[in-house]
Amino acid sequence: MECDGSMATLRVVGGRRLKGVVEVSGSKNAALALLPAALLCRGQVSFYRVPEIIDVHILLEIIKTLGVEVLFENETVRLDTTQLTPRPLPNGSVAQIRASIYLAGVLLTQFGEVTIGLPGGCPLNRQVDFHLDAFQRMGAKVWLEGEIIRAICPSGKLCGAVIELDPRWRSVGTTVNVMLAASLADGVTVIKNAAMEPEVVACARYLKAMGAKISGEGTPVVKIEGVKRLSPTDWTVIPDRMEAGTYLLAGAITNGEVTVTGVPPEWLRPFLQKLVEAGANVEVDDDKITVSMDGRPRPIAVVTEPFPGFPTDLQPPIGAFLAKCDGVSLIVETIHRDRLLYWEELQKLGAKARVEIAENPKRLPCLAWVYGVPELHNSEVTAPDLRAGAALLLAGLSAEGETLIHQAEKIQRGYAHIVEKLSSLGAEVDMLTEEPERVSGHVGAKFGY
């Protein structure tokens, strides 16, 4: 599925040691959960530190079709939900981002029915069944008509239920969607094996600030007692730990030194531990993290797990880093079967790996044995998805010569002002094709919908 906006190609001239400080933007995954949550109340709401990324703009376009007034200016989103009106949301913008599924829970719990297209986004094997099963357990009748989801509550409202998620994945999306839907449902809902990610906790705390009765966020069991109404509340988006990890790797892979500010180190603890194992120097101080590197990484083993384990979203970026390790590293992907497909493109830059992806789509884990090479070389590659694009970018920063990354708009789905931030660290990067107007990245740009 292509991302919204024109195609972009990122030019990267490698071989430079990156050095400097990056202030982390607001979290993509948190923002995409918070914006739908605001539709559970009526009135004016402001969100601060919202990342200026493609996915946020697409979601705001969808929200506008529901009668909500939207303004996005200087990392602040202002919503007026007074005239929120339930309307069918067929494929189109809905099919471009995964987070559009959150609107199903928001609309279903308020209006007793919803019609929405299947969500899209990165082409990973993510199941929407978890969400639909949860709605059914809460009393809704759900069915698919082609690529359209239809759900209706025969009693007029969703009802509290026990929702037990698969402990192997602890689905972030399903946990968020159930919290949204249960906040205004009748009775008590309990989520077992709930996701514990900071972005999930942030959504729960925002709902509580609006008046929701939620307990246990950040633990495997979350309890939601439905209330009659929620109140408009302003909120600040938490920092993006995936962006932080990516910039720290940019410093390490180029034998430089990069500091990121604004992210609690405990959110990245397993990731930072792996960098230390690989030979990087890691220093933490409150909300500041510095990583420096001299020489090739030592070979390590990385196993992705739900939070507080190693995040799957940082697996492709650290894979690029390990492509230059002095030995053989092992990557074990336990969450997304297709997450290792970036190696086909990475090998065009001289990386070497043996990847095992089972034919059975339900079989996990998938494995990659990474055979480190002393140097990567420039090439032309194509970004398969957001995090794979980040991996190719990191590899390009380390490779000698000029690398071209096609479909680089996929990287812009999750990294705000990435060209400007990398340039401030001493990188030579630029976009070769015209970017969509709404993601131009100009400071002070005003976005009205």
Side-chain angles (χ1 to χ4, degrees):
M1 177 61 63
E2 297 296 331
C3 297
D4 183 58
S6 62
M7 304 285 282
T9 296
L10 185 63
R11 184 180 73 95
V12 184
V13 178
R16 298 188 175 195
R17 292 190 176 189
L18 301 193
K19 186 173 183 179
V21 180
V22 174
E23 182 178 355
V24 178
S25 300
S27 165
K28 163 188 177 285
N29 292 334
L32 295 178
L34 292 169
L35 293 171
L39 306 190
L40 293 169
C41 69
R42 297 295 175 272
Q44 297 180 353
V45 175
S46 294
F47 291 102
Y48 307 104
R49 197 166 60 193
V50 180
E52 292 183 0
I53 55 176
I54 286 178
D55 277 19
V56 166
H57 290 286
I58 295 174
L59 182 58
L60 290 176
E61 287 181 349
I62 300 170
I63 288 174
K64 185 191 173 187
T65 67
L66 297 172
V68 178
E69 293 184 14
V70 178
L71 181 65
F72 192 178
E73 181 180 17
N74 298 331
E75 297 187 345
T76 297
V77 170
R78 303 188 191 280
L79 303 177
D80 187 341
T81 64
T82 306
Q83 302 299 322
L84 176 70
T85 305
R87 293 191 176 96
L89 296 172
N91 286 333
S93 295
V94 167
Q96 295 182 41
I97 57 170
R98 183 72 183 174
S100 61
I101 192 65
Y102 294 150
L103 296 174
V106 166
L107 296 175
L108 184 59
T109 195
Q110 293 181 92
F111 303 106
E113 60 180 311
V114 68
T115 299
I116 188 170
L118 287 172
C122 282
L124 298 178
N125 185 29
R126 291 167 163 160
Q127 297 293 325
V128 74
D129 296 354
F130 302 146
H131 302 257
L132 306 187
D133 289 345
F135 294 153
Q136 288 178 318
R137 289 183 179 275
M138 298 175 74
K141 291 187 176 181
V142 183
W143 66 97
L144 290 175
E145 295 180 358
E147 295 188 351
I148 299 295
I149 301 169
R150 297 190 186 276
I152 188 168
C153 300
S155 65
K157 288 208 70 175
L158 290 174
C159 300
V162 175
I163 310 296
E164 188 164 356
L165 304 181
D166 192 313
R168 293 174 296 174
W169 293 293
R170 297 182 182 273
S171 170
V172 169
T174 308
T175 301
V176 168
N177 220 348
V178 172
M179 289 194 305
L180 296 174
S183 292
L184 293 177
D186 286 336
V188 176
T189 297
V190 177
I191 309 173
K192 296 183 177 181
N193 299 319
M196 300 183 288
E197 276 75 358
E199 297 79 15
V200 174
V201 174
C203 181
R205 291 179 177 171
Y206 177 62
L207 289 169
K208 290 168 72 170
M210 296 170 70
K213 293 183 178 180
I214 301 175
S215 61
E217 68 274 14
T219 78
V221 180
V222 177
K223 180 180 177 182
I224 310 103
E225 182 179 347
V227 298
K228 296 298 183 183
R229 64 181 58 83
L230 298 176
S231 302
T233 303
D234 297 342
W235 203 252
T236 299
V237 179
I238 63 172
D240 196 310
R241 60 196 173 103
M242 305 308 170
E243 181 190 45
T246 303
Y247 284 113
L248 292 174
L249 282 169
I253 200 171
T254 62
N255 279 173
E257 180 178 306
V258 169
T259 298
V260 297
T261 62
V263 174
E266 58 267 24
W267 290 0
L268 287 168
R269 191 69 61 190
F271 167 76
L272 298 177
Q273 289 172 346
K274 287 300 174 181
L275 289 185
V276 172
E277 286 182 29
N281 180 49
V282 177
E283 299 178 8
V284 299
D285 181 18
D286 294 331
D287 66 347
K288 183 170 68 174
I289 308 170
T290 300
V291 169
S292 59
M293 186 82 190
D294 185 16
R296 296 172 65 186
R298 293 193 291 262
I300 60 174
V302 174
V303 181
T304 63
E305 296 176 322
F307 188 85
F310 191 98
T312 181
D313 281 357
L314 285 177
Q315 183 262 105
I318 205 169
F321 172 65
L322 295 177
K324 295 181 65 175
C325 71
D326 188 10
V328 181
S329 290
L330 173 64
I331 297 174
V332 182
E333 175 57 53
T334 70
I335 298 175
H336 293 306
R337 173 179 175 269
D338 296 335
R339 186 68 92 181
L340 290 170
L341 295 180
Y342 67 94
W343 278 101
E344 183 175 348
E345 293 297 308
L346 202 57
Q347 288 176 358
K348 296 178 182 178
L349 295 165
K352 295 182 180 179
R354 179 165 63 88
V355 179
E356 284 191 8
I357 300 178
E359 293 184 6
N360 184 345
K362 294 184 178 181
R363 183 179 179 273
L364 284 166
C366 298
L367 309 175
W369 283 267
V370 181
Y371 303 95
V373 296
E375 299 292 340
L376 299 174
H377 59 73
N378 62 317
S379 183
E380 289 194 34
V381 293
T382 300
D385 58 63
L386 167 58
R387 304 304 173 184
L392 295 172
L393 172 56
L394 291 173
L397 290 170
S398 175
E400 290 295 331
E402 180 180 285
T403 294
L404 298 179
I405 304 174
H406 301 296
Q407 297 187 24
E409 72 281 355
K410 293 176 180 176
I411 302 174
Q412 294 174 307
R413 289 187 53 235
Y415 294 91
H417 311 298
I418 191 165
V419 169
E420 294 88 340
K421 289 184 178 182
L422 285 173
S423 297
S424 73
L425 298 175
E428 184 177 344
V429 293
D430 58 82
M431 290 289 177
L432 298 183
T433 56
E434 185 176 353
E435 301 177 57
E437 181 179 350
R438 62 171 169 274
V439 291
S440 63
H442 295 305
V443 176
K446 186 173 183 178
F447 304 94
Y449 291 84

